[in-house]
Amino acid sequence: DAGVTQSPTHLIKTRGQQVTLRCSPKSGHDTVSWYQQALGQGPQFIFQYYEEEERQRGNFPDRFSGHQFPNYSSELNVNALLLGDSALYLCASSSSKWVRDEQYFGPGTRLTVT
Amino acid sequence: TQLLEQSPQFLSIQEGENLTVYCNSSSVFSSLQWYRQEPGEGPVLLVTVVTGGEVKKLKRLTFQFGDARKDSSLHITAAQPGDTGLYLCAGAENFGNEKLTFGTGTRLTIIP
């Protein structure tokens, strides 16, 4: 049983460009959350998708947007990239919309903005 | 925005020693989780505590939720090299407000 998968593994972009990160949840999971983890920091919640809708959002600007597809996979889009967007982007899936229930994290996508 | 401060930020000890990691906030959390993250991987859930004063044990790891649900601790007995990693606490704000706030992390190194 494959766990949470994310693509690509690594990505290098230039300031001002746009990027799309992808996440496939663990089999049987319908809820996907995205987190940004800067180097040496804990993850920060970006948003959560359930039933193809954004349910919760953290303190991130509108440059960060997402989508969930009918098969529960999800994309994270970041427009007008800034140097400060360089981070590890983590996707987590669960079978429950309640964060107190177990979330399974993917290995992340390392984004570098130059 | 609720903040979780972890201490110490870095900890390096000899195999066999005991250690405690702390997670503190001025805010109340409805539940609190502890994760361990290894290089190149996402965090892995170790435990969830939901009741003030709750104590949970996972082999050599003991987790405690403060009575006021503002703080938590992780105690490791007889640390082993396999315990090396980044330990993160994470709190859920309110039941129904499903944002998970992560702490600043404690990077633990166990020296064989």
Side-chain angles (χ1 to χ4, degrees), chain B residues 40-78:
Chain B
E41 299 180 9
V44 175
L45 180 66
L46 297 174
V47 76
T48 300
V49 286
V50 297
T51 305
E54 182 176 3
V55 176
K56 281 192 174 180
K57 291 190 175 183
L58 183 65
K59 297 183 180 178
R60 295 176 294 100
L61 279 60
T62 301
F63 305 86
Q64 184 163 6
F65 202 10
D67 291 341
R69 290 184 288 125
K70 293 182 178 181
D71 56 87
S72 180
S73 64
L74 158 60
H75 182 78
I76 301 179
T77 303

Side-chain angles (χ1 to χ4, degrees), chain A residues 37 43 57 59 97-99, chain B residues 1 33 37 98-99 102:
Chain A
Q37 186 175 24
R57 188 178 183 93
N59 296 324
K97 58 183 178 179
W98 310 119
V99 294
Chain B
T1 301
Q33 298 174 330
Q37 184 177 21
E98 299 307 307
K99 300 179 187 179
F102 276 84

